[in-house]
Amino acid sequence: MPHDQDIEGDTSDISSEYECLQCGRIVRAETNPGECKECGSGDFQNRAKSVE
Ligand SMILES: [Zn+2]
């Protein structure tokens, strides 16, 4: 899977907010970020459930 860097200003509504359970960092991504850039943890929780 592609693992591109975050694109500033991209407000695509297909992305969701993920919260790092270790440091509380909020990351917007289409899929689970996998690894926190702040603390290196891989524990993310999806904050916004998809609305379908
Ligand atoms: Zn973190």
Side-chain angles (χ1 to χ4, degrees):
M1 273 191 154
H3 199 82
D4 296 335
Q5 298 290 329
D6 292 346
I7 301 175
E8 304 261 350
D10 186 343
T11 55
S12 174
D13 58 9
I14 61 175
S15 61
S16 303
E17 286 189 345
Y18 290 85
E19 177 179 9
C20 177
L21 299 180
Q22 295 297 319
C23 70
R25 177 184 173 86
I26 304 300
V27 179
R28 288 195 66 87
E30 296 176 24
T31 59
N32 194 307
E35 184 175 285
C36 178
K37 294 177 182 175
E38 287 293 322
C39 69
S41 168
D43 296 326
F44 277 93
Q45 180 178 43
N46 192 338
R47 303 178 73 230
K49 295 183 179 179
S50 60
V51 190
E52 284 192 60

